[in-house]
Structure formats: C-alpha cells, structure tokens
Amino acid sequence: MPVATARTVSLDGAVGHLVTIQADVSPGQVRVDLVGRVDQALGEARDRVRMAIINSELDWPATKRVTVLLSPADLHKRGTHHDLGIALAVLAAEGSIAPELLAHCLFVGELTLDGSLRSVRGVLPMVLAAREHGITTVVVPEPQAEEAMMVPGTTVFGVRSLAQAIAVLSGQPLPEAPPVVRSAGANLLHWRGSTRHEDVDLADVLGMDDARFALEVAAAGGHHLMLSGPKGAGKTTLAERIPTILPDLAPEESLELTAIHSLAGVLDPGAGMIVRPPYSAPHHDASKTSIVGGGSGQVRPGELSRTHAGVLLLDEFPLFRRDVIEALREPLENGEITVARAEELVTLPARTILVVAANPCPCGEHRPDVGKDTCRCKPVALREYRSRLTGPVADRIDITRHVQPLSPHQRVDRFAAREDSATVRARVEAARARQAERYADTGWRLNAHATGVALRDRWPLTASATRTLDEHVVKGALTNRGAVRVHRLAWTVHDLDPSSTGAPGPAALDVALRLRQGRPLLDSTVRGRECSA
C-alpha cells in the first residue's frame, strides 16, 4: 500500500504549526515506530492507537511493520491530540479506508483504549492554524465542535469515537458511542474573572475625582496603574470597575483572547466568542507559573495572558513573591511573555492593563497625612515592604495615584454628581477610535503599544512640550523609559479631549507628568472631564 497521509496541528504556545502524519505499513519485523521529535505523552500513542483500532473492531496490521512519521521532523511535537490523525493514517495505509478520504481535513482528538475520544485543550488555535494553510474541514471531539465553529468558513464534524470519525469521512450512518468525557483541563469552564465586572458600576464610587480621571486615562490608552493608600480607601473598588469603562473587544482581539482561553482549558464553547474585556484578581500567594504561565508538560497561559486586552489586578502587591514581581518586567515592557523550557520556547500575548494596589505599610495604618499615625510596623518590615514598590517594575507602571479615604462630608453628600460607567465608556471609545485611526498602518491599537522611537519620529509633542520633557530627563526627574511613558500619556490625555487638534502641548504634558509622578491633578482638569460629559 502507498503511504497514507493525515494532518493535525502542533501548538507552540498559542501558535499552531501544521503537522503532516505519514503512515507506512509494510512487511518486516513486527513493530511500531513513531518518529518526528515526539514527547513522552505522544510517544505512548502507539499503544493507545493500536488498542483503539483493535477494540473498534477494525483491522490492525498485526503481522507487519508500522512506521509513523510526524513532520516537519525538526518541530518538537507534544500532546495527545495527535491520536486520531495517527489512527486514521494507519488505517488508510493498511487499506481499511480510502487514503483520499483524509485529504484536506484536520483531525484532532485523544483516543482511549476502547476507541472513544477525549477532549483536548487548544482546539481553537489549532483550527485557526489549519485555516491559514487552506484546510477548512476539521474533525474534533464532539464537545469542542462549537469551539471549532468559531472560526469563520470552517466545516466542523464533532464525533465521539474513532468509528464515528470513519463514518463521517465515508458518508455512512454514525454508530452508537457514549458521550465524550471532558479532560480535567477542559472542565475548568467558569473562570473566576470572566463576569466580575457585570454587577458593578463607576456610579457606585463616591468622590475620588482625581482617581476616577486616572482610571479613564488608563482605560483609554491601555496604561498600567498603581493605586496606593490606607486600607479601606477604595483602591480595590476603583480597580474592579475599570472593565466597566472598557469598550467591547475588537474582532481580532476577541479571537486572540478566545484562543488563549482555549489553550488554557478555561473556555466555555457554549458561551461563544469572548467579547467583553476579562478581569482577574489573583490572591497574593499566587505562584509565578499561575501569573506568567508555564507548568510541566505543555505550557499553559497564566493570568497575564488570560486577561489579554482586559484588566489584571494585583491587590496587596508588595505581598506577592519577589520572583512574581520581577517576572513582570518583560510583559509590562513588551506586552508579551516568553516562557522557556529545556526544548521549548513559548511566547504568549499579555497586553493587559495591569493595576497594582498597595497599602502604605504592611498593617495599613500609616497615615501621616492626617496627623494620626497608628502604624505598628517595624522599620525593617516597612523598608522591605516599600522596596517592592520601587525599582524597575515601578518604572514600567505609567500612572501612580494616592487614594485618600472619603471625608465625612463626601460620604453623606447626596447631591454630588457621579458619572456612570456608560458615560465614561463613551469617552474611552471615542479616544480609542482616534488612536485606531492614528495607528492604522501599524500593528498597534493603543498609545501604550507605541514605541518610543515611533512616537518621537512620527507623533512628537509640540516643540515646547518636547523641551519640557527633555528637561525632566536631564534633571533626573524621569528615566528615558519614564519619558516614553509620559509621552504616551500625553497623547491619551490629548485623545480624551474632543476639541484637541494637532500634537499634545504643554497642558497635556503637565497632566501626564502629574499622572506619572503621583502628584494631584489640577481642579480644572477634573472639572474639564465633567464638562465634556
């Protein structure tokens, strides 16, 4: 028999690579060889596939030599989702099914010993990769058919077993098979941060005009934000309302984020594409792997990637482990995270709005601003705590705001104007539309994505504003990295003003510097937001 060919996809992070499975059944020493840089889990496919074929009452070449090549041979392949493609290629090489039935199809699924299928992680990015190579017909485990159908222009067949897959290919009635059992990873359907922002609104927040404006700027330009202040001041209350002022995801963002959740095993296919920005607030004892991604075997996305195009709140930031804090440098700077393993280098998108919140001291009672300091922290503990809020990571955070508790008057002022999230979101959407037009010929969507070189060359500040910014760098008040972030902030402040034209000038730069350095905003700035509503 000629060599039979089937196709599947191997994942490298969220990027899929088309894999060609070639099976040869010929006389020789009775053995099964599986070659092509396969990992241990995939190497065990020879036994799973053999027993699945036998127990499905199909012909296994028991007296011949079976050789299966997964190419390209230099690509490291991992995962059990190759099983279905391997089994079909062997059956086609043996002559049990016509080899031409496998042409132009993608096969994904893990086999059990009785020939049933099990669901796997990452079906959506696999189908996306197949479409890029012109393959528009896919066969997947039944529970993940809805997930595969999210890719436009794709014909999807959801099956429960190897026998059903053969029936679909040959146009025969489907034999009976028990429902597919979801894998442990695929059962994690209800991610804790996915709907957190649906029951809160910015109108719930009393006062805090300065901090509210900072939230609006962060949402409009995709800027990272640090909120500091005594316990109970409202830092978490503010942070968890940022998703409510973010617009719906763009189609490409939605597809990208949904693929990441599929890879992580936390996607609910029945809910369709993710259209709202995600939100997550992991506890401060979270591990580095859970935040940035990793794990044994196939790399799984962490919270930074799961909240891509959304909001990640690290509350009680100084209490996070130091290795977690230091690991934030790359994603805060580049918008992506690279996880290295012995034979694997995976890069995942991580353009989240990072919000870090911290008390002024471990006990949260440090209040020198009101002349009543009841802090009980020892000096050594206080220095260690505050050291987490400075240095390279802090330099990568665009906006710093100190949140003060409400005064008794603010708490009882029933006539104080409070904008709701919908009103602020409309301004954010308008500002983002201006950015989308400006960066239309680039790969960026928001001001926070633009590089310093591009801003200087193509979108500079006015001459007077540029001189002022350069003076801050020369005096040591800003690092070069800080100057780039102030430049981005100035553009976002400019974009939020519907009457602004040209390049950002001294007024926008002054607001950007205040946001960056944690200095209070001028009353006219806050009032300007209210007047433009």
Side-chain angles (χ1 to χ4, degrees), residues 5-40:
T5 301
R7 289 175 177 82
T8 188
V9 169
S10 185
L11 290 176
D12 182 9
V15 178
H17 301 278
L18 189 66
V19 172
T20 300
I21 303 172
Q22 293 181 310
D24 175 80
V25 177
S26 57
Q29 181 182 6
V30 178
R31 58 183 295 177
V32 179
D33 292 319
L34 187 61
V35 295
R37 289 197 70 193
V38 300
D39 69 350
Q40 181 178 355

CSV table of all heavy atoms in Angstrom, one decimal, residues 5-40:
chain,number,residue,atom,x,y,z
A,5,THR,N,-1.6,9.7,4.3
A,5,THR,CA,-1.3,11.0,5.0
A,5,THR,C,-2.5,11.5,5.6
A,5,THR,O,-3.6,11.5,5.0
A,5,THR,CB,-0.8,12.0,3.9
A,5,THR,OG1,0.4,11.5,3.3
A,5,THR,CG2,-0.4,13.3,4.6
A,6,ALA,N,-2.3,12.0,6.9
A,6,ALA,CA,-3.4,12.8,7.6
A,6,ALA,C,-2.7,14.0,8.2
A,6,ALA,O,-1.5,14.1,8.2
A,6,ALA,CB,-4.0,11.9,8.7
A,7,ARG,N,-3.5,14.9,8.6
A,7,ARG,CA,-3.0,16.2,9.1
A,7,ARG,C,-3.6,16.6,10.5
A,7,ARG,O,-4.8,16.4,10.7
A,7,ARG,CB,-3.2,17.3,8.1
A,7,ARG,CG,-2.4,17.2,6.8
A,7,ARG,CD,-2.7,18.2,5.8
A,7,ARG,NE,-1.8,18.1,4.6
A,7,ARG,CZ,-2.0,17.2,3.7
A,7,ARG,NH1,-3.0,16.4,3.7
A,7,ARG,NH2,-1.2,17.1,2.7
A,8,THR,N,-2.7,17.2,11.3
A,8,THR,CA,-3.2,17.7,12.5
A,8,THR,C,-2.3,19.0,12.8
A,8,THR,O,-1.6,19.4,11.9
A,8,THR,CB,-3.0,16.7,13.7
A,8,THR,OG1,-3.6,17.2,14.9
A,8,THR,CG2,-1.6,16.3,13.9
A,9,VAL,N,-2.4,19.5,14.0
A,9,VAL,CA,-1.6,20.7,14.4
A,9,VAL,C,-0.9,20.5,15.7
A,9,VAL,O,-1.5,19.9,16.6
A,9,VAL,CB,-2.6,21.9,14.5
A,9,VAL,CG1,-1.9,23.1,15.1
A,9,VAL,CG2,-3.1,22.3,13.1
A,10,SER,N,0.3,21.0,15.7
A,10,SER,CA,1.1,21.0,17.0
A,10,SER,C,1.1,22.4,17.5
A,10,SER,O,1.4,23.4,16.7
A,10,SER,CB,2.5,20.4,16.8
A,10,SER,OG,3.1,20.3,18.0
A,11,LEU,N,0.9,22.7,18.8
A,11,LEU,CA,0.9,24.0,19.3
A,11,LEU,C,2.2,24.4,19.9
A,11,LEU,O,2.8,23.6,20.6
A,11,LEU,CB,-0.2,24.2,20.3
A,11,LEU,CG,-1.7,24.1,19.8
A,11,LEU,CD1,-2.6,24.1,21.0
A,11,LEU,CD2,-1.9,25.2,18.9
A,12,ASP,N,2.6,25.6,19.6
A,12,ASP,CA,3.8,26.3,20.3
A,12,ASP,C,3.2,27.5,21.0
A,12,ASP,O,3.2,28.6,20.4
A,12,ASP,CB,4.8,26.6,19.2
A,12,ASP,CG,6.1,27.2,19.8
A,12,ASP,OD1,6.2,27.2,21.0
A,12,ASP,OD2,6.9,27.7,19.0
A,13,GLY,N,2.8,27.3,22.2
A,13,GLY,CA,2.1,28.4,22.9
A,13,GLY,C,0.7,28.5,22.2
A,13,GLY,O,0.0,27.6,22.1
A,14,ALA,N,0.4,29.7,21.8
A,14,ALA,CA,-0.9,30.0,21.1
A,14,ALA,C,-0.8,29.9,19.6
A,14,ALA,O,-1.7,30.2,18.9
A,14,ALA,CB,-1.5,31.3,21.6
A,15,VAL,N,0.4,29.6,19.1
A,15,VAL,CA,0.7,29.5,17.7
A,15,VAL,C,0.7,28.0,17.2
A,15,VAL,O,1.3,27.2,17.8
A,15,VAL,CB,2.0,30.1,17.3
A,15,VAL,CG1,2.3,30.0,15.9
A,15,VAL,CG2,2.1,31.6,17.8
A,16,GLY,N,-0.1,27.8,16.2
A,16,GLY,CA,-0.2,26.4,15.7
A,16,GLY,C,0.6,26.2,14.5
A,16,GLY,O,0.8,27.0,13.6
A,17,HIS,N,1.2,25.0,14.4
A,17,HIS,CA,2.0,24.6,13.3
A,17,HIS,C,1.4,23.3,12.6
A,17,HIS,O,1.2,22.3,13.3
A,17,HIS,CB,3.5,24.3,13.7
A,17,HIS,CG,4.2,25.4,14.3
A,17,HIS,ND1,4.8,26.4,13.6
A,17,HIS,CD2,4.4,25.7,15.6
A,17,HIS,CE1,5.3,27.3,14.5
A,17,HIS,NE2,5.1,26.9,15.7
A,18,LEU,N,1.2,23.3,11.4
A,18,LEU,CA,0.6,22.2,10.7
A,18,LEU,C,1.5,21.0,10.7
A,18,LEU,O,2.7,21.2,10.4
A,18,LEU,CB,0.2,22.6,9.2
A,18,LEU,CG,-0.6,21.6,8.5
A,18,LEU,CD1,-2.0,21.4,9.1
A,18,LEU,CD2,-0.7,21.9,7.0
A,19,VAL,N,1.0,19.9,11.1
A,19,VAL,CA,1.8,18.6,11.1
A,19,VAL,C,1.2,17.6,10.2
A,19,VAL,O,0.0,17.4,10.2
A,19,VAL,CB,1.8,18.1,12.6
A,19,VAL,CG1,2.5,16.7,12.6
A,19,VAL,CG2,2.5,19.0,13.5
A,20,THR,N,2.1,17.1,9.3
A,20,THR,CA,1.7,16.0,8.4
A,20,THR,C,2.0,14.7,9.0
A,20,THR,O,3.2,14.4,9.4
A,20,THR,CB,2.4,16.2,7.0
A,20,THR,OG1,2.0,17.5,6.5
A,20,THR,CG2,2.0,15.1,6.1
A,21,ILE,N,1.0,13.8,9.1
A,21,ILE,CA,1.2,12.5,9.6
A,21,ILE,C,1.3,11.5,8.5
A,21,ILE,O,0.3,11.3,7.7
A,21,ILE,CB,0.1,12.1,10.6
A,21,ILE,CG1,-0.1,13.1,11.7
A,21,ILE,CG2,0.3,10.7,11.1
A,21,ILE,CD1,-1.3,12.9,12.6
A,22,GLN,N,2.4,10.8,8.3
A,22,GLN,CA,2.6,9.8,7.2
A,22,GLN,C,2.7,8.5,7.9
A,22,GLN,O,3.5,8.3,8.8
A,22,GLN,CB,3.8,10.1,6.4
A,22,GLN,CG,3.7,11.4,5.5
A,22,GLN,CD,4.9,11.7,4.7
A,22,GLN,OE1,6.0,11.6,5.2
A,22,GLN,NE2,4.7,11.9,3.4
A,23,ALA,N,1.9,7.5,7.4
A,23,ALA,CA,1.9,6.2,7.9
A,23,ALA,C,2.3,5.2,6.8
A,23,ALA,O,1.7,5.3,5.7
A,23,ALA,CB,0.6,5.8,8.6
A,24,ASP,N,3.2,4.3,7.1
A,24,ASP,CA,3.6,3.2,6.2
A,24,ASP,C,3.4,1.9,6.8
A,24,ASP,O,3.9,1.7,8.0
A,24,ASP,CB,5.0,3.4,5.7
A,24,ASP,CG,5.5,2.3,4.8
A,24,ASP,OD1,5.2,2.4,3.6
A,24,ASP,OD2,6.2,1.4,5.4
A,25,VAL,N,2.7,1.0,6.2
A,25,VAL,CA,2.6,-0.4,6.7
A,25,VAL,C,3.2,-1.3,5.6
A,25,VAL,O,2.7,-1.4,4.5
A,25,VAL,CB,1.1,-0.7,6.9
A,25,VAL,CG1,0.9,-2.2,7.3
A,25,VAL,CG2,0.4,0.2,7.9
A,26,SER,N,4.2,-2.1,6.0
A,26,SER,CA,5.0,-2.9,5.0
A,26,SER,C,5.5,-4.1,5.7
A,26,SER,O,5.6,-4.2,7.0
A,26,SER,CB,6.1,-2.1,4.4
A,26,SER,OG,7.0,-1.6,5.5
A,27,PRO,N,5.9,-5.1,4.9
A,27,PRO,CA,6.4,-6.4,5.5
A,27,PRO,C,7.7,-6.0,6.3
A,27,PRO,O,8.5,-5.1,5.9
A,27,PRO,CB,6.7,-7.3,4.3
A,27,PRO,CG,5.8,-6.7,3.3
A,27,PRO,CD,5.7,-5.3,3.5
A,28,GLY,N,8.0,-6.8,7.2
A,28,GLY,CA,9.3,-6.6,8.0
A,28,GLY,C,9.1,-7.0,9.4
A,28,GLY,O,8.1,-7.7,9.8
A,29,GLN,N,10.0,-6.7,10.3
A,29,GLN,CA,9.9,-7.0,11.7
A,29,GLN,C,8.7,-6.3,12.3
A,29,GLN,O,8.4,-5.2,12.1
A,29,GLN,CB,11.2,-6.5,12.4
A,29,GLN,CG,11.2,-6.8,13.9
A,29,GLN,CD,12.4,-6.3,14.6
A,29,GLN,OE1,13.2,-5.6,14.0
A,29,GLN,NE2,12.6,-6.6,15.9
A,30,VAL,N,7.9,-7.1,13.1
A,30,VAL,CA,6.7,-6.6,13.6
A,30,VAL,C,7.0,-5.6,14.7
A,30,VAL,O,7.5,-6.0,15.8
A,30,VAL,CB,5.8,-7.7,14.2
A,30,VAL,CG1,4.5,-7.2,14.8
A,30,VAL,CG2,5.5,-8.7,13.1
A,31,ARG,N,6.7,-4.4,14.5
A,31,ARG,CA,7.0,-3.3,15.4
A,31,ARG,C,6.2,-2.0,15.0
A,31,ARG,O,5.8,-1.9,13.8
A,31,ARG,CB,8.5,-3.0,15.6
A,31,ARG,CG,9.2,-2.7,14.3
A,31,ARG,CD,10.7,-2.5,14.5
A,31,ARG,NE,10.9,-1.3,15.4
A,31,ARG,CZ,12.2,-1.0,15.8
A,31,ARG,NH1,13.2,-1.8,15.4
A,31,ARG,NH2,12.4,0.0,16.6
A,32,VAL,N,6.1,-1.1,15.9
A,32,VAL,CA,5.5,0.2,15.6
A,32,VAL,C,6.5,1.3,15.9
A,32,VAL,O,7.0,1.4,17.1
A,32,VAL,CB,4.2,0.4,16.4
A,32,VAL,CG1,3.6,1.8,16.1
A,32,VAL,CG2,3.2,-0.7,16.1
A,33,ASP,N,6.9,2.1,14.9
A,33,ASP,CA,7.9,3.2,15.1
A,33,ASP,C,7.1,4.5,15.0
A,33,ASP,O,6.5,4.7,14.0
A,33,ASP,CB,9.0,3.1,14.1
A,33,ASP,CG,9.9,1.9,14.4
A,33,ASP,OD1,10.2,1.6,15.6
A,33,ASP,OD2,10.3,1.2,13.4
A,34,LEU,N,7.3,5.4,16.0
A,34,LEU,CA,6.7,6.7,15.9
A,34,LEU,C,7.9,7.7,15.9
A,34,LEU,O,8.5,7.8,17.0
A,34,LEU,CB,5.8,6.9,17.1
A,34,LEU,CG,4.9,8.2,17.1
A,34,LEU,CD1,4.0,8.3,15.9
A,34,LEU,CD2,4.1,8.2,18.4
A,35,VAL,N,8.1,8.4,14.9
A,35,VAL,CA,9.3,9.3,14.8
A,35,VAL,C,8.9,10.7,14.4
A,35,VAL,O,7.8,10.9,13.9
A,35,VAL,CB,10.3,8.7,13.7
A,35,VAL,CG1,10.8,7.4,14.1
A,35,VAL,CG2,9.6,8.6,12.3
A,36,GLY,N,9.8,11.6,14.7
A,36,GLY,CA,9.5,13.0,14.4
A,36,GLY,C,9.5,13.9,15.6
A,36,GLY,O,8.7,14.9,15.7
A,37,ARG,N,10.5,13.7,16.5
A,37,ARG,CA,10.6,14.5,17.7
A,37,ARG,C,9.3,14.6,18.5
A,37,ARG,O,8.7,15.7,18.7
A,37,ARG,CB,11.1,15.9,17.4
A,37,ARG,CG,12.5,16.1,16.9
A,37,ARG,CD,13.0,17.5,17.0
A,37,ARG,NE,13.2,17.9,18.4
A,37,ARG,CZ,13.4,19.2,18.7
A,37,ARG,NH1,13.4,20.1,17.8
A,37,ARG,NH2,13.5,19.5,20.0
A,38,VAL,N,8.9,13.5,19.1
A,38,VAL,CA,7.7,13.5,19.9
A,38,VAL,C,8.0,13.4,21.4
A,38,VAL,O,9.0,12.9,21.8
A,38,VAL,CB,6.8,12.2,19.5
A,38,VAL,CG1,6.5,12.3,18.0
A,38,VAL,CG2,7.5,10.9,19.8
A,39,ASP,N,7.1,14.0,22.2
A,39,ASP,CA,7.3,13.9,23.6
A,39,ASP,C,6.8,12.6,24.2
A,39,ASP,O,6.3,11.7,23.4
A,39,ASP,CB,6.7,15.1,24.3
A,39,ASP,CG,5.2,15.0,24.3
A,39,ASP,OD1,4.6,14.2,23.6
A,39,ASP,OD2,4.5,15.9,25.0
A,40,GLN,N,6.9,12.4,25.5
A,40,GLN,CA,6.6,11.1,26.1
A,40,GLN,C,5.1,10.8,25.9
A,40,GLN,O,4.7,9.7,25.6
A,40,GLN,CB,6.9,11.1,27.6
A,40,GLN,CG,6.6,9.7,28.2
A,40,GLN,CD,7.0,9.7,29.7
A,40,GLN,OE1,7.7,10.6,30.2
A,40,GLN,NE2,6.7,8.6,30.4
